[in-house]
Amino acid sequence: MPSLVFDLDGTLIDSAPDIALALNKVLEEEGFAPLTLAQVIGFIGNGIPALIGKARAHYAISEARQQPMLAAMLRYYDHGQTRLYPGVHEALSALKAEGYRLGLCTNKNIGPTHDVLKACGLAEFFEVVIGGDSLSVKKPDPAPLLSAFDALGGQPLLYIGDSEVDEETARRAGFPFAFFTGGYCHLPEERLTFAVKFDAFDALPGAVRRLARAETGETPA
């Protein structure tokens, strides 16, 4: 049966408010003004260490503060304001019921990833979860995505994500990409390569079915 792997932040969940809250607590401790939500979203995509690095660069904070700021960020980060995008639970339920094998590949560390999945009622859907610290490299290195598909087995069909990082990861790994337009992408979509584009999750199961039929040479019923 075909397998599907999903990104997390900006794809299944809107976590930016919680990320901004934690980051701004760190910045306040360092003596700097808070960033806007839009600024924080602009920094999201390559994991929390990269987020801290971009915030430091924005304020010209010394590199020596990277690890203390990272440790504080991980202490403060919670998921109290994190929400599923509309239709996510229903789409995953439909795909799971049809026999698709589902995995997750995110740059969020594995501990917070499992916490968020449980809190949002998503843990039951994923047979494989790869976090940002599961391997020695993160996306857009293709290794985490390759590892997720290898562990799932079946026929890899799609990597579903929301950003240029996800698109590059899928491209480098050699898998088709499904682009969710409602997330945290920082590039115009014409600069991305994707097999599927969708702006609402109620459209995803049908798009997956059509792609699966095309891959097997089946004609629509």
Side-chain angles (χ1 to χ4, degrees):
M1 191 69 186
S3 53
L4 308 168
V5 176
F6 290 80
D7 174 51
L8 183 59
D9 297 82
T11 300
L12 300 176
I13 61 171
D14 181 10
S15 55
D18 283 321
I19 292 172
L21 182 63
L23 179 59
N24 282 330
K25 284 182 179 178
V26 175
L27 290 171
E28 181 182 10
E29 289 183 347
E30 296 290 322
F32 294 92
L35 295 167
T36 66
L37 181 60
Q39 287 174 310
V40 174
I41 289 173
F43 294 163
I44 292 173
N46 296 91
I48 295 298
L51 177 83
I52 294 293
K54 291 172 185 176
R56 284 196 305 98
H58 179 81
Y59 284 116
I61 300 172
S62 167
E63 187 175 355
R65 297 303 302 159
Q66 173 72 18
Q67 290 306 313
M69 289 175 69
L70 176 59
M73 176 81 186
L74 294 176
R75 284 198 309 273
Y76 291 137
Y77 177 67
D78 197 3
H79 44 74
Q81 299 182 51
T82 293
R83 297 291 181 267
L84 294 178
Y85 286 109
V88 164
H89 196 281
E90 294 81 359
L92 294 178
S93 295
L95 292 166
K96 192 81 169 178
E98 293 176 26
Y100 291 96
R101 307 190 70 176
L102 307 183
L104 192 86
C105 180
T106 174
N107 275 342
K108 186 189 293 294
N109 282 1
I110 194 68
T113 294
H114 283 301
D115 290 343
V116 169
L117 290 176
K118 290 176 184 175
C120 293
L122 297 182
E124 64 184 285
F125 292 111
F126 299 108
E127 300 178 41
V128 174
V129 178
I130 302 293
D133 55 349
S134 295
L135 303 179
S136 61
V137 293
K138 294 180 172 66
K139 300 180 301 180
D141 191 292
L145 183 56
L146 289 166
S147 179
F149 273 121
D150 284 348
L152 275 177
Q155 177 61 42
L157 183 64
L158 273 176
Y159 181 46
I160 299 101
D162 70 293
S163 72
E164 66 278 11
V165 174
D166 298 321
E167 185 267 351
E168 181 182 348
T169 304
R171 180 162 34 85
R172 291 174 65 184
F175 300 124
F177 178 59
F179 175 43
F180 173 55
T181 62
Y184 308 149
C185 192
H186 308 133
L187 294 179
E189 66 178 53
E190 57 267 23
R191 292 182 58 183
L192 306 180
T193 300
F194 45 81
V196 171
K197 180 180 78 169
F198 65 105
D199 59 8
F201 269 85
D202 59 3
L204 181 61
V208 168
R209 293 182 204 111
R210 288 190 293 273
L211 184 63
R213 285 195 297 262
E215 290 286 317
T216 60
E218 295 180 22
T219 57

